[in-house]
Amino acid sequence: MAFYVTTPIYYVNAAPHLGHAYTTIAADVMARHHRQRGEDVFFLTGTDEHGEPVADAAHALGIEPQELADRNAERFKALAPQIDATNDFFIRTTDPQHEAKVQEVLSRVKENGFVYEGTYEGWYCPRCADFKADNEIDEGKLCPIHHIVLTREQEDNYFFRLSSFQAQLEALYGEREDFIAPRARYNEALSFIRSGLRDVPLTRHKLTWGVQVPWDHEHVFYVWFDALLNYYSALSYADPKEDLTERFWPASYHLIAKDILRFHAVYWPALLMAAELELPEHIFVHGYLLMEGEKMSKSLGNVLDPFEVIERFGADALRFYLLRDVPFGADGSVSTASFELRYETELANELGNLASRTIAMVLRYRDGKLPAGDIDPVLAEDFAGLTGRVCEHVDRAELTAALDEIWQRVRRLNRYVEEQAPWQLAKDDARAADLDRVLRSLAEGLRSVTVLLWPYLPASAERLLAALGAPELSLTGAELGAGQIETVAALDALFPKNR
C-alpha cells in the first residue's frame, strides 16, 4: 500500500519560522507512522520560488530573484534535518524538471479547451500574490491576512475556465465528504464553490520571474498554478532511476494552512480535472500558531525561531509541544511559558520519570533481567485496542487526538507504579512472582507506548527502546505483550530539567 504526504511548498521571500516547522513536523509524523505500518511512503516538502513577492524582496535587497531563492531555499532545507523530518525529496520550483512539467500540464489544460485570453481587473495583494474577491477585502481595502492596502491592477492575461468546473466540484464535495477536513474547512470551501465560480488568471503579463508560458513567451504562469503542480511534478524526477508518479499518485494527504484553502480546495481539483489527472484523496487544513492573537508571519514580524528552540530543548520537545498543545486542525496560541510547562510536566515528569523509574527498578531488583511471563490483566485491559485507535486517528490526520490516546497510557503506567508499589513487593521474598509480573508489565507497557510515540519523539523513542533491548519500531509489535524484553540497560535522563 502506498502513502504520499505533502506539505505546502514554502515561500522563499524570507527565512523559515515556527509555522513552517509545524506543518513539516505534522507531515513527518504521518510519514513515520505509515512506515511503521509497512507501507510504501513518500514525503514531499520544498520551496515556492517564483512570483511577485520573491521578485520584490530580491529587488529590495539589490539582488536577482534567483540569488534570493537560492539563499533562502538552503535555509528551508536546513530546517528539515534539524526537526528530524524524513522527507524523501525537497522540491524547488526553479528546478528545470518542475518547470518543464508545469509547461506540459498547463499546455494540456489549454489543449483541452480551458484557457482563453482576456483582461483582468481587481484588487491585488502582492504579499499573497493573489487577487481578492469583494467579500475577501477588509474595510479600507486591506488584505485580511497582511493588513496592507490592496492595489488596483489591470492586466492582459490568459484565463483558466474555473467556472466550467462548478458542477463537477459540487459533485466532488457531495460524493467525498472527507475530501477536505476538518469539517469547518469543508463547509468553507463548499460555500465558496456554491457562491459561484469565476474564471481566474492563469498567467501574468507584467512579471518575468516565473515559468514561461510556452505558447506566449511574453507571459509567465501565475505563481499559484506553478506552485500547486509541485505535488505532481516532483514524482516525475525525485528518483533519478524511476518515475514515481504511477507508484504514488494521487497524493494521500496534502497538509496545508487555512490561508491557502481556496487554492487547494477549489483551484487545485479543478486544474487536475482540466488536465485529466486523478484528484488527491484528502486535503487536511490546519490552523494558525498564534502569538499575541495573530498568526505567526514573517511579514508581521511575530515569529518564534525554531532553531533557537531546538538548540535549547531539542527537536523532540518541539515536535511534541506543537502537536500536543495546539489541537491539529485548530488555531492555538503558543508561548515560551506553555512550552516549558509541557516540557517539565509531561516530557520530563511523566514520560522521562516513567522511563527512569522502570529501568532503575529492573536494574535494582532483577539485575536488569526480566523473566518471561504474562502481562498483568489489569494493565492489559487499559491497553486493549490502543494501536488500532491510534491508526484510526492518524488516518484522519487527527494527530493531537492520536497523541492523547498514547499519553493517556503513559499516565496509566505512572498510576500503575503507584498502585503496585514495586518497592514494597521487593521487600517480601514471597511476592517475587508478583514483582516479576509488575516489572515485566511496566517495561512492556513502556515499550508499547514508546513504539507508538516514535513518530512524535523519534530520537528519544529510539534511545529508550535501545535501553529496553527492544529496538523494533513496527506497529505489529506495538501491542502490549507483543515484545519479550529480556535485558534492560541504564539510561540517562531523556528530558533533563533546568535547560
Side-chain angles (χ1 to χ4, degrees), residues 6 13 29 44 127 139 149 162 201 208 242 257 325 405:
T6 74
N13 57 327
V29 167
L44 178 68
R127 292 187 186 170
E139 187 176 348
V149 177
L162 181 64
T208 58
E242 177 188 1
D325 211 55
E405 286 277 1

Side-chain angles (χ1 to χ4, degrees), residues 272-289:
L272 291 171
M273 290 173 183
E276 301 176 319
L277 296 172
E278 284 187 81
L279 304 189
E281 294 173 9
H282 305 284
I283 299 171
F284 189 90
V285 188
H286 67 73
Y288 293 151
L289 298 179

Side-chain angles (χ1 to χ4, degrees), residues 42-121:
F42 194 83
F43 166 21
L44 178 68
T45 189
T47 43
D48 182 2
E49 303 183 10
H50 290 130
E52 192 169 13
V54 173
D56 288 348
H59 294 152
L61 295 170
I63 60 177
E64 290 301 312
Q66 186 68 60
E67 184 179 346
L68 179 64
D70 290 343
R71 180 188 302 174
N72 279 337
E74 288 306 312
R75 301 173 80 173
F76 280 96
K77 278 187 178 180
L79 175 64
Q82 291 209 34
I83 57 178
D84 271 349
T86 55
N87 53 294
D88 296 284
F89 189 59
F90 188 98
I91 188 172
R92 297 182 57 186
T93 55
T94 52
D95 292 341
Q97 302 97 319
H98 167 75
E99 294 187 354
K101 185 62 70 172
V102 168
Q103 292 172 327
E104 174 195 318
V105 173
L106 295 180
S107 293
R108 190 186 318 154
V109 172
K110 181 176 183 292
E111 290 162 8
N112 288 344
F114 298 110
V115 176
Y116 65 92
E117 286 187 82
T119 300
Y120 190 88
E121 183 175 356

Side-chain angles (χ1 to χ4, degrees), residues 2-4 6 42 44 228-236 243-254 268-269 272 276-281:
F3 180 81
Y4 176 25
T6 74
F42 194 83
L44 178 68
L228 286 165
L229 279 165
N230 93 90
Y231 306 128
Y232 179 73
S233 69
L235 295 175
S236 67
D243 186 328
L244 301 174
T245 307
E246 187 174 339
R247 186 166 146 197
F248 288 107
W249 190 261
S252 308
Y253 264 99
H254 296 312
W268 179 225
L272 291 171
E276 301 176 319
L277 296 172
E278 284 187 81
L279 304 189
E281 294 173 9

Side-chain angles (χ1 to χ4, degrees), residues 297-356:
S297 164
K298 53 205 168 201
S299 58
L300 295 177
N302 62 336
V303 299
L304 283 176
D305 186 344
F307 298 101
E308 291 179 5
V309 175
I310 291 165
E311 185 176 352
R312 181 178 174 191
F313 291 96
D316 278 5
L318 178 67
R319 293 169 66 101
F320 176 84
Y321 172 71
L322 293 180
L323 292 172
R324 179 77 169 143
D325 211 55
V326 178
F328 193 59
D331 292 345
S333 294
V334 295
S335 69
T336 302
S338 62
F339 181 101
E340 292 181 354
L341 182 64
R342 287 279 185 188
Y343 181 89
E344 181 157 335
T345 59
E346 295 189 334
L347 289 178
N349 290 350
E350 293 180 352
L351 179 59
N353 193 42
L354 173 66
S356 297

Side-chain angles (χ1 to χ4, degrees), residues 391-410:
C391 289
E392 288 171 4
H393 283 304
V394 176
D395 282 345
R396 296 190 294 265
E398 297 167 351
L399 305 185
T400 304
L403 180 55
D404 187 60
E405 286 277 1
I406 305 165
W407 212 259
Q408 288 178 37
R409 275 60 180 194
V410 172

Side-chain angles (χ1 to χ4, degrees), residues 145-164:
I145 297 171
H146 294 103
H147 311 310
I148 62 172
V149 177
L150 300 172
T151 60
R152 191 71 179 174
E153 299 262 345
Q154 181 174 316
E155 188 176 15
D156 293 332
N157 304 104
Y158 288 90
F159 280 73
F160 172 55
R161 293 187 189 276
L162 181 64
S163 61
S164 297

